[in-house]
Amino acid sequence: MAQHLVDRNPVVPADQLVSLLVPPAMFDEVSFASYIPDPNEPSQAQAVAKAEAFAKGLGKSRGGKRGLFGKKSAASGAGLYLDGGFGVGKTHLLASIFHSAPSPKAFGTFVELTHVVGALGFNNAVEQLSNHSVLCIDEFELDDPGDTMLVSRLLTELSARGVSIVATSNTLPGQLGEGRFAAQDFLREIRKLGSIFETIRVDGPDYRHRDLPPAPEPVADDEIEALAAATPGCTLDDFDELCRHLGKLHPSRYKKLVEGVSAVYLRGVHAAPDQAVALRLVVFADRLYDANIPVTVSGAKLDEIFTPEMVAGGYRKKYLRATSRLLALSRFNAIAAG
């Protein structure tokens, strides 16, 4: 019998939050060598070379430089900013940098990092991260000014203590103006870090959809129940009940919520009723994607969860990224069934 996500109420102790800042399991084995640049996109090969060179310098900047009279300057971390569209391999490069770096080191999404700082408190978070060789931040976002300022202040403190920072951001395919605006906003926010960030552009189509068929159609309710019954370790939930449950959990607990789940089946999927629900579904989709968990639904298609009005608004990048990831996850079971 299938389990239910709505029956799970995971707890993550605050003292474990920093140790849990590691790349998703799907990036455990990646390396610079395993990144295959698109020959039609020269920026990808250039990004690999820049990222690898950056990784080789980690741990060497903490001691500072000796001045004219032998006195060491203050330690200062280096910075790299990978700017590009969905599915071009920025996270692959970010994880490769993480794997190459000396310990201790940390890797998390922008959202995960804000959750950690919120749970630990700013000063405690700084102390726990200040001895790290590098902090890797995936999917840096500028949607919330408060969070942006919080993380900017955190990066300023950490860089001053010699921690190197690497960040990625998403630019919408075909909308490079919006992408450049995001990069420039981020750079302005962190200019106080000493202009240490080098921005690297990574272009290309979303690899998750290269040469792949369209996302599968939703299945019937009775079929989804039969599929769930035949899948060990899966969960089966009503979409509305899951949305309500997500609203009761802090997003930092979503990773534990899906831990150990083999597949997720959702019954009665429809468009999110409001922005608050939609944004929680974005984080949920990210955690499913991190864990490589297949998704099968009944009801509406997965690309109909976020309404056209939502996608046209300020959270457009979030919704398109989540849709891209959900569609990729929805193909797993369809391919297996075929």
Side-chain angles (χ1 to χ4, degrees):
M1 178 179 291
Q3 305 173 61
H4 306 290
L5 291 173
V6 295
D7 294 334
R8 294 182 164 203
N9 289 283
V11 176
V12 182
D15 60 359
Q16 294 181 16
L17 288 173
V18 169
S19 65
L20 293 175
L21 288 175
V22 295
M26 65 188 301
F27 293 103
D28 279 349
E29 305 299 325
V30 302
S31 65
F32 297 115
S34 66
Y35 184 104
I36 309 300
D38 185 334
N40 298 316
E41 300 290 349
S43 66
Q44 294 187 8
Q46 293 166 7
V48 174
K50 287 283 188 180
E52 192 166 12
F54 180 87
K56 288 179 179 177
L58 290 174
K60 299 177 182 179
S61 59
R62 298 189 66 90
K65 298 180 180 179
R66 290 200 177 275
L68 224 56
F69 303 103
K71 184 178 180 181
K72 277 193 174 184
S73 62
S76 180
L80 187 68
Y81 184 73
L82 300 172
D83 176 36
F86 302 112
V88 295
K90 300 187 307 297
T91 303
H92 183 130
L93 293 176
L94 191 67
S96 298
I97 290 173
F98 175 88
H99 292 316
S100 301
S103 295
K105 50 193 173 181
F107 180 112
T109 65
F110 178 87
V111 172
E112 287 177 314
L113 188 60
T114 59
H115 293 160
V116 167
V117 176
L120 294 177
F122 183 83
N123 291 334
N124 191 7
V126 169
E127 289 304 316
Q128 290 203 36
L129 291 167
S130 62
N131 65 337
H132 285 45
S133 66
V134 67
L135 172 61
C136 300
I137 309 173
D138 205 14
E139 300 156 10
F140 199 101
E141 298 168 346
L142 296 168
D143 304 314
D144 186 316
D147 283 347
T148 300
M149 293 301 294
L150 174 70
V151 174
S152 175
R153 183 182 165 210
L154 176 72
L155 301 191
T156 301
E157 293 278 349
L158 293 178
S159 179
R161 299 192 186 201
V163 181
S164 292
I165 313 291
V166 191
T168 72
S169 77
N170 285 321
T171 300
L172 303 182
Q175 297 188 6
L176 300 185
E178 181 176 342
R180 303 316 304 170
F181 175 77
Q184 289 306 310
D185 270 12
F186 176 67
L187 289 172
R188 278 197 294 272
E189 274 303 313
I190 60 175
R191 199 171 296 281
K192 59 187 132 178
L193 292 175
S195 300
I196 60 170
F197 276 77
E198 181 179 3
T199 302
I200 304 300
R201 179 74 192 168
V202 191
D203 291 309
D206 188 337
Y207 78 90
R208 290 185 285 268
H209 305 301
R210 288 177 197 160
D211 304 317
L212 291 173
E217 292 289 322
V219 301
D221 284 345
D222 56 351
E223 184 181 354
I224 202 170
E225 291 174 8
L227 288 169
T231 307
C234 75
T235 59
L236 171 63
D237 292 271
D238 288 318
F239 182 70
D240 285 331
E241 290 182 5
L242 176 64
C243 289
R244 286 192 289 271
H245 188 58
L246 293 177
K248 298 174 185 176
L249 298 175
H250 191 279
S252 64
R253 297 163 66 183
Y254 290 5
K255 185 175 183 178
K256 280 281 187 182
L257 179 68
V258 301
E259 191 174 78
V261 174
S262 65
V264 165
Y265 293 90
L266 294 176
R267 186 169 42 209
V269 167
H270 58 81
D274 57 53
Q275 199 104 267
V277 172
L279 290 173
R280 286 193 285 268
L281 288 170
V282 167
V283 180
F284 180 67
D286 285 343
R287 301 294 79 80
L288 290 176
Y289 185 74
D290 289 347
N292 226 17
I293 298 174
V295 176
T296 302
V297 304
S298 70
K301 295 180 181 180
L302 282 168
D303 58 3
E304 297 173 354
I305 289 180
F306 309 113
T307 66
E309 293 77 17
M310 291 175 179
V311 175
Y315 297 109
R316 177 179 176 85
K317 289 188 292 182
K318 284 177 179 283
Y319 296 142
L320 291 183
R321 182 186 76 230
T323 299
S324 171
R325 291 181 164 186
L326 287 172
L327 292 184
L329 295 174
S330 72
R331 294 191 179 100
F332 293 164
N333 280 344
I335 293 172

